[in-house]
Amino acid sequence: MPDDFPAGSVWLVGAGPGDVELLTLKAARLIAAAEIIFYDALVGPDILALAPDAKLIPVGKRAGRHSRDQDAINGLLVEAALLGKRVVRLKGGDPAIFARSAEEMEACARAGIFARICPGITTASAAAASAGLSLSLRGLARRVQFVTAHARAGEPLDLDWTALAHAGSTLAFYMGRGAAREISEKLVAAGLPGATPVLVACDVSLPTEQHLSTRLDLLPLAVKSIADNRPTLLLIGEAVARPAAVRPAQALTT
């Protein structure tokens, strides 16, 4: 067993956007070596199949349907590690982006448990790659901003819309479908042109991946054509409009 995964330790592992071939070699090794894996809802069976001998426990959260709250997840990680297990907390995308990894790392540290993070490919990068796009573009998009569109039910997004409405940016809104109208209206009100290109990406990296090209002021209408249970990312900015060399995903335009 590698020295970096002793008994009674925890790794927070990035599972990437879904395609098992987008796992890092390190992530695959850690998954295979784990004795117990606590995994997110978006982690697919092909990835879990890399750990045939591990105990698999779902702890995912999707669209307000939580199998465990965060404190409970923290407690499970600590409990398993204190029992001497090699523990993997398997997270969709990259653990450092909107994944509450800091809370899990802190819980492990308080319990004296050795814990580390293995990064993964984040969904925004995978979506741009499959669309044949670049998130940045010389002379046009010099800034990339990752934004979570998740808010508590009934609450508006507490974001600096003026800062986000920067003409030289590409915005990546995670979990953006439900907030599409608010995102569109607030960005336009903050000065971003309604004609700003938008790429709506669903089921990124999976066989069912779909891209929908639209513009910012039509975004609320565009997302109505997408099933509300599909993981959805919004890419907004002029870089999104550049011609794509390859677009393997099903593409639609509004």
Side-chain angles (χ1 to χ4, degrees):
M1 185 65 60
D3 293 340
D4 64 353
F5 203 177
S9 63
V10 176
W11 273 94
L12 278 56
V13 176
D19 183 352
V20 66
E21 293 186 336
L22 292 181
L23 280 176
T24 66
L25 292 173
K26 185 168 189 172
R29 172 175 64 82
L30 294 169
I31 291 168
E35 294 175 289
I36 184 167
I37 296 176
F38 299 97
Y39 65 94
D40 280 350
L42 297 181
V43 176
D46 289 345
I47 293 175
L48 296 176
L50 298 175
D53 299 323
K55 183 176 182 180
L56 305 176
I57 300 178
V59 292
K61 312 180 187 77
R62 282 192 66 179
R65 300 188 300 274
H66 294 185
S67 64
R68 311 268 186 173
D69 64 29
Q70 189 60 50
D71 286 341
I73 294 171
N74 296 347
L76 289 170
L77 296 177
V78 168
E79 180 183 12
L82 291 177
L83 289 173
K85 302 297 184 182
R86 295 182 178 89
V87 182
V88 160
R89 172 69 173 101
L90 194 54
K91 295 173 170 287
D94 183 283
I97 299 180
F98 308 129
R100 303 186 72 170
S101 295
E103 296 169 60
E104 295 170 358
M105 293 290 286
E106 182 179 355
C108 289
R110 286 199 305 266
I113 294 166
F114 175 77
R116 296 179 66 183
I117 295 175
C118 175
I121 293 176
T122 191
T123 304
S125 296
S130 63
L133 301 171
S134 174
L135 293 174
S136 62
L137 200 60
R138 187 173 183 177
L140 187 61
R142 300 186 179 186
R143 178 190 303 176
V144 179
Q145 302 187 74
F146 294 160
V147 189
T148 175
H150 176 72
R152 292 182 179 180
E155 294 184 1
L157 292 177
D158 184 17
L159 299 173
D160 186 342
W161 296 102
T162 300
L164 292 174
H166 186 281
S169 294
T170 299
L171 305 177
F173 277 92
Y174 290 69
M175 299 170 282
R177 186 192 187 285
R181 179 171 297 280
E182 184 176 5
I183 290 169
S184 172
E185 292 175 351
K186 292 291 181 63
L187 286 176
V188 170
L192 204 59
T196 301
V198 177
L199 180 71
V200 182
C202 303
D203 295 340
V204 172
S205 84
L206 300 176
T208 54
E209 182 171 7
Q210 183 181 46
H211 297 161
L212 192 157
S213 295
T214 186
R215 43 186 277 169
L216 184 58
D217 54 1
L218 297 179
L219 178 58
L221 176 64
V223 298
K224 290 183 178 180
S225 65
I226 301 166
D228 60 8
N229 62 345
R230 300 178 68 186
T232 302
L233 175 88
L234 309 178
L235 295 178
I236 302 173
E238 293 300 328
V240 174
R242 307 307 296 178
V246 180
R247 289 182 181 268
Q250 181 182 357
L252 301 174
T253 303
T254 60

